[in-house]
Amino acid sequence: MKTIDELLAEGVNGKRVFVRADLNVPLNGTTITDDGRIRAVQPTVEKLAAAGARVVVASHLGRPKGAPDPAFSLAPAATRLGELLGTDVAFATDTVGESARATVAALADGKVAVIENLRFNAGETSKDDAERGAFADRLAELADVYVGDGFGAVHRKHASVFDLPARLPHYAGYLIATEVGVLKKLTTDVKRPYAVVLGGAKVSDKLGVIDHLLERADRILIGGGMAYTFLKAQGHEVGSSLLQEDQIPVVLEYLKRAEDKGVEFVLPVDVVVAPAFPDLKTKAPAQATTVAADAMPAGQMGLDNGPETNTLYASKLADAATVFWNGPMGVFEHPDFAEGTRAVAQALVDSSGFSVVGGGDSAAAVRILGFDENAFGHISTGGGASLEYLEGKTLPGLAALED
């Protein structure tokens, strides 16, 4: 795929450059609680603007139902992008309507605009090729060149990700180039030992990547809500913990495959439990106690790895030459259940190996827990995209950027 550096060499002064970014940031009302994804696209936008391009930034945010919804407006993201760039950023209140056309037409060389949430138009996510294509046609009218830099969306066959690049000269932005380069280090010529840490809520979300990594990883460490399906599969009581009983046969198969292939599969040896899910608004104490993973009381809910597990996992990561981590170890937003996630993050910081934090909640966790992002080899902006890449799937947004 062609890169933004090739585009800049060709010259962009006066050209309208459509940058498909990922500004899908978490919001508390209109307050952005983690601006990592906006900062991730900043280098691409800055370089284009400095070269005289008229930069049109577009993104989705959340899951609106194909119609305008103020709760999912990109206005806060546009304001934050302007703060990071140190310049005014124009904002269009629609996607391809009168406001978008007028806003783009008014752009001067070297200036930046953000158009409203792409998912306010049903054509963006439509499964109908014609409807999606019609929306892409209207987006194409706003630009002369396309730059794909929304890595968090490249696994989606959406109009702005898949169809639009076919209608314009297209290039990969700095973020996508970096993300793909990093993920290649996890799939080809991997330095060993190669350890993978998987957490998050549902084991079903990670089955594909576990299946793929059983052929490639040396160790797989499991935490988060998904761990309790593994513990249940081993015959242990898991109380009221998150459980996907329908996945137990698959889990048992994976445990057997890991044993046959000599892949070390590591599960929690102790867990932090409470009678109910904690209040994340007040952060009130949650009556947390620590119990052995094979001795959970029936009325308790597992919400984090325990201290013995934290020590065990740190030891399994200490000598790893490559580590991929996706998914928190517990409900890290509450102080009573943050230590498992903190311990994994600290182990990656302490490791001399190449560490990749695989986007989503893991990326948010390292920032919320106060870690220096530069202490990790790479923090991905796309959890789902990273996982699908590691599963060996073809990602529509990357395929669209290939010539």
Side-chain angles (χ1 to χ4, degrees):
M1 64 181 70
K2 290 184 178 179
T3 68
I4 187 176
D5 285 332
E6 294 173 85
L7 171 60
L8 291 167
E10 294 166 9
V12 294
N13 188 59
K15 291 184 178 180
R16 300 169 302 162
V17 180
F18 188 103
V19 177
R20 201 330 180 161
D22 178 9
L23 308 180
N24 186 28
V25 291
L27 293 171
N28 181 6
T30 59
T31 300
I32 297 170
T33 58
D34 181 3
D35 67 356
R37 285 177 170 168
I38 303 175
R39 288 185 287 110
V41 79
Q42 181 182 346
T44 289
V45 175
E46 279 183 333
K47 205 68 176 285
L48 289 168
R54 303 176 183 188
V55 186
V56 182
V57 181
S59 176
H60 68 288
L61 192 153
R63 297 180 182 273
K65 305 298 183 182
D69 183 339
F72 298 106
S73 175
L74 277 174
T79 299
R80 181 58 182 149
L81 179 60
E83 293 169 352
L84 292 168
L85 296 173
T87 187
D88 290 336
V89 168
F91 181 66
T93 56
D94 57 29
T95 56
V96 291
E98 182 178 339
S99 178
R101 292 193 300 270
T103 300
V104 174
L107 272 180
D109 295 355
K111 293 300 182 180
V112 180
V114 174
I115 63 174
E116 186 55 285
N117 192 337
L118 292 164
R119 291 184 182 175
F120 285 2
N121 189 304
E124 170 67 3
T125 59
S126 176
K127 289 183 169 57
D128 181 82
D129 291 348
E131 183 180 12
R132 217 175 49 246
F135 183 49
D137 287 339
R138 296 185 69 189
L139 289 172
E141 294 173 0
L142 301 175
D144 305 304
V145 181
Y146 178 93
V147 172
D149 215 29
F151 181 74
V154 294
H155 58 315
R156 305 297 188 192
K157 192 177 181 180
H158 290 170
S160 65
V161 176
F162 179 75
D163 302 273
L164 183 56
R167 289 157 169 77
L168 295 169
H170 46 269
Y171 303 80
Y174 290 124
L175 174 61
I176 278 187
T178 298
E179 294 274 12
V180 171
V182 167
L183 288 170
K184 284 182 177 178
K185 292 183 179 181
L186 301 178
T187 53
T188 58
D189 299 322
V190 181
K191 293 184 178 178
R192 298 185 179 279
Y194 178 18
V196 176
V197 187
L198 297 175
K202 296 182 178 179
V203 68
S204 56
D205 293 340
K206 303 292 197 301
L207 289 178
V209 75
I210 294 173
D211 180 66
H212 201 68
L213 289 171
L214 279 171
E215 306 294 327
R216 291 159 179 81
D218 299 301
R219 300 170 193 151
I220 299 177
L221 286 61
I222 301 293
M226 62 184 289
Y228 300 100
T229 300
F230 281 90
L231 292 172
K232 182 70 172 182
Q234 292 184 324
H236 303 313
E237 170 66 55
V238 296
S240 58
S241 306
L242 187 63
L243 173 64
Q244 290 184 284
E245 288 207 57
D246 60 320
Q247 301 298 330
I248 287 177
V250 182
V251 163
L252 286 170
E253 178 198 337
Y254 286 174
L255 290 171
K256 181 65 166 59
R257 278 178 56 196
E259 182 180 0
D260 292 344
K261 291 180 175 295
V263 176
E264 191 175 4
F265 220 100
V266 189
L267 296 173
V269 294
D270 63 342
V271 294
V272 182
V273 301
F277 196 84
D279 187 329
L280 299 183
K281 289 185 178 180
T282 66
K283 305 291 197 297
Q287 300 180 344
T289 56
T290 300
V291 299
D294 60 358
M296 287 183 62
Q300 296 285 308
M301 176 182 293
L303 295 164
D304 195 16
N305 287 347
E308 290 185 24
T309 301
N310 295 340
T311 299
L312 172 65
Y313 283 20
S315 71
K316 297 296 182 182
L317 298 173
D319 67 339
T322 305
V323 182
F324 174 70
W325 171 32
N326 181 282
M329 298 293 98
V331 186
F332 69 90
E333 302 91 339
H334 192 286
D336 288 352
F337 310 106
E339 289 310 305
T341 302
R342 190 191 310 278
V344 168
Q346 188 62 54
L348 268 60
V349 169
D350 294 341
S351 170
S352 60
F354 179 67
S355 59
V356 178
V357 181
D361 288 339
S362 307
V366 299
R367 289 188 278 265
I368 290 171
L369 296 176
F371 287 90
D372 180 357
E373 294 179 46
N374 296 320
F376 303 89
H378 178 70
I379 297 180
S380 178
T381 58
S386 297
L387 290 175
E388 291 198 15
Y389 189 99
L390 292 181
E391 288 176 38
K393 292 183 177 180
T394 297
L395 306 188
L398 295 185
L401 294 175
E402 298 286 352
D403 290 317

